[in-house]
Amino acid sequence: MSDSPTIYCSVVCSHCEGEGCTYCNKTGHVLVKEPACRCKACEGAGCIYCGFTGWAGLKGKYD
Ligand SMILES: [Zn+2]
Ligand SMILES: [Zn+2]
C-alpha cells in the first residue's frame, strides 16, 4: 500500500479559543493536517490564509 491518506487532527480554534464561532462552525475546534502547526502568515492570530482559525492546513480549505 503506497497510498497514505492525509491525517487530520482536531485543534482548538484560535479565534474563539474553544468558545465556538462562525469560523469553526460553532464547535470550538477545527480539523487540520497532521502535524498541526500554526499559520505562518499570522502566527496564530488569524488571517484570511488560515480562515481566521490561526492554524495552517485546514481541512477542506486547501485540499
Ligand atoms: Zn472558533
Ligand atoms: Zn493565519
Side-chain angles (χ1 to χ4, degrees):
M1 295 293 222
S2 58
D3 220 342
S4 57
T6 307
I7 301 170
Y8 294 96
C9 62
S10 183
V11 293
V12 176
C13 172
S14 291
H15 183 82
C16 63
E17 297 186 322
E19 295 281 311
C21 66
T22 54
Y23 305 116
C24 55
N25 289 322
K26 305 241 191 315
T27 63
H29 293 79
V30 289
L31 287 174
V32 297
K33 282 176 187 166
E34 287 265 31
C37 54
R38 293 283 180 177
C39 172
K40 290 189 179 72
C42 65
E43 297 184 329
C47 67
I48 57 170
Y49 301 107
C50 54
F52 297 96
T53 64
W55 293 95
L58 265 196
K59 186 181 191 311
K61 275 232 163 239
Y62 302 106
D63 280 352

